[in-house]
Short mmCIF file of all heavy atoms in Angstrom, two decimals:
data_model
loop_
_atom_site.label_atom_id
_atom_site.label_comp_id
_atom_site.label_asym_id
_atom_site.label_seq_id
_atom_site.Cartn_x
_atom_site.Cartn_y
_atom_site.Cartn_z
N ALA A 11 -50.91 -2.68 -36.75
CA ALA A 11 -49.77 -1.97 -36.16
C ALA A 11 -49.01 -1.16 -37.18
O ALA A 11 -48.36 -0.17 -36.82
CB ALA A 11 -48.84 -2.97 -35.47
N LEU A 47 -37.03 29.68 -2.07
CA LEU A 47 -36.12 30.65 -1.46
C LEU A 47 -36.86 31.93 -1.10
O LEU A 47 -36.67 32.49 -0.02
CB LEU A 47 -34.95 30.93 -2.42
CG LEU A 47 -33.80 31.75 -1.88
CD1 LEU A 47 -33.13 31.04 -0.71
CD2 LEU A 47 -32.80 32.01 -2.98
N ALA A 55 -40.11 19.95 -2.35
CA ALA A 55 -40.05 18.49 -2.44
C ALA A 55 -40.17 17.85 -1.05
O ALA A 55 -40.62 16.73 -0.92
CB ALA A 55 -38.75 18.05 -3.10
N ALA A 76 -38.89 10.38 6.46
CA ALA A 76 -40.20 9.97 6.97
C ALA A 76 -40.65 8.66 6.32
O ALA A 76 -41.18 7.77 7.00
CB ALA A 76 -41.23 11.07 6.71
N GLN A 77 -40.41 8.54 5.02
CA GLN A 77 -40.80 7.32 4.33
C GLN A 77 -39.96 6.13 4.78
O GLN A 77 -40.47 5.03 4.92
CB GLN A 77 -40.70 7.51 2.82
CG GLN A 77 -41.77 8.44 2.28
CD GLN A 77 -41.60 8.80 0.82
OE1 GLN A 77 -40.52 8.68 0.26
NE2 GLN A 77 -42.69 9.24 0.20
N PHE A 96 -48.26 20.09 -14.73
CA PHE A 96 -49.45 19.94 -15.56
C PHE A 96 -49.81 21.24 -16.26
O PHE A 96 -50.13 21.25 -17.45
CB PHE A 96 -50.64 19.46 -14.72
CG PHE A 96 -51.94 19.51 -15.47
CD1 PHE A 96 -52.25 18.54 -16.41
CD2 PHE A 96 -52.85 20.54 -15.25
CE1 PHE A 96 -53.43 18.60 -17.12
CE2 PHE A 96 -54.03 20.61 -15.95
CZ PHE A 96 -54.33 19.63 -16.89
N ALA A 100 -50.01 21.61 -20.21
CA ALA A 100 -51.29 22.00 -20.80
C ALA A 100 -51.14 23.28 -21.62
O ALA A 100 -51.70 23.38 -22.71
CB ALA A 100 -52.34 22.18 -19.70
N VAL A 103 -49.32 22.42 -24.89
CA VAL A 103 -50.23 21.74 -25.82
C VAL A 103 -51.22 22.75 -26.40
O VAL A 103 -51.51 22.74 -27.61
CB VAL A 103 -50.95 20.57 -25.13
CG1 VAL A 103 -52.08 20.03 -25.99
CG2 VAL A 103 -49.96 19.48 -24.79
N PHE A 104 -51.73 23.65 -25.57
CA PHE A 104 -52.64 24.69 -26.04
C PHE A 104 -51.98 25.54 -27.13
O PHE A 104 -52.57 25.81 -28.18
CB PHE A 104 -53.08 25.58 -24.88
CG PHE A 104 -53.77 26.85 -25.31
CD1 PHE A 104 -55.07 26.82 -25.78
CD2 PHE A 104 -53.10 28.06 -25.25
CE1 PHE A 104 -55.70 27.99 -26.18
CE2 PHE A 104 -53.72 29.22 -25.65
CZ PHE A 104 -55.02 29.19 -26.12
N LEU A 106 -49.46 24.72 -29.07
CA LEU A 106 -49.25 23.90 -30.25
C LEU A 106 -50.54 23.79 -31.06
O LEU A 106 -50.53 23.97 -32.28
CB LEU A 106 -48.76 22.51 -29.85
CG LEU A 106 -48.55 21.51 -30.97
CD1 LEU A 106 -47.40 21.94 -31.87
CD2 LEU A 106 -48.29 20.13 -30.41
N ASP A 118 -56.95 26.66 -45.45
CA ASP A 118 -58.34 26.65 -45.90
C ASP A 118 -58.66 27.90 -46.69
O ASP A 118 -59.35 27.84 -47.70
CB ASP A 118 -59.29 26.52 -44.71
CG ASP A 118 -59.24 25.15 -44.06
OD1 ASP A 118 -58.67 24.22 -44.67
OD2 ASP A 118 -59.75 25.01 -42.93
N LYS A 122 -59.76 28.20 -50.60
CA LYS A 122 -61.01 28.86 -50.95
C LYS A 122 -60.78 29.94 -52.00
O LYS A 122 -61.59 30.15 -52.89
CB LYS A 122 -61.64 29.48 -49.71
CG LYS A 122 -63.06 29.97 -49.91
CD LYS A 122 -63.58 30.65 -48.67
CE LYS A 122 -64.17 29.65 -47.72
NZ LYS A 122 -64.85 30.28 -46.59
N CYS A 135 -76.35 18.66 -63.64
CA CYS A 135 -75.82 19.17 -62.37
C CYS A 135 -74.63 18.37 -61.84
O CYS A 135 -74.32 18.43 -60.65
CB CYS A 135 -76.91 19.24 -61.30
SG CYS A 135 -78.22 20.39 -61.74
N VAL A 143 -66.20 21.13 -72.91
CA VAL A 143 -67.20 21.69 -73.83
C VAL A 143 -68.36 20.72 -74.03
O VAL A 143 -69.36 21.06 -74.65
CB VAL A 143 -66.56 22.06 -75.19
CG1 VAL A 143 -65.62 23.23 -75.03
CG2 VAL A 143 -65.88 20.89 -75.83
N THR A 149 -73.67 14.03 -71.86
CA THR A 149 -73.20 14.34 -73.22
C THR A 149 -73.81 15.60 -73.82
O THR A 149 -73.86 15.78 -75.03
CB THR A 149 -73.44 13.15 -74.19
OG1 THR A 149 -74.84 12.97 -74.38
CG2 THR A 149 -72.76 11.89 -73.69
N LYS A 155 -66.41 29.09 -72.29
CA LYS A 155 -66.22 30.45 -71.76
C LYS A 155 -65.33 31.24 -72.71
O LYS A 155 -64.35 30.73 -73.23
CB LYS A 155 -65.60 30.40 -70.38
CG LYS A 155 -66.54 29.96 -69.32
CD LYS A 155 -65.94 30.15 -67.98
CE LYS A 155 -66.96 29.77 -66.90
NZ LYS A 155 -66.44 30.00 -65.58
#
Side-chain angles (χ1 to χ4, degrees):
L47 189 62
Q77 289 173 339
F96 170 77
V103 169
F104 167 75
L106 178 67
D118 290 346
K122 191 184 274 188
C135 297
V143 291
T149 67
K155 286 189 176 183

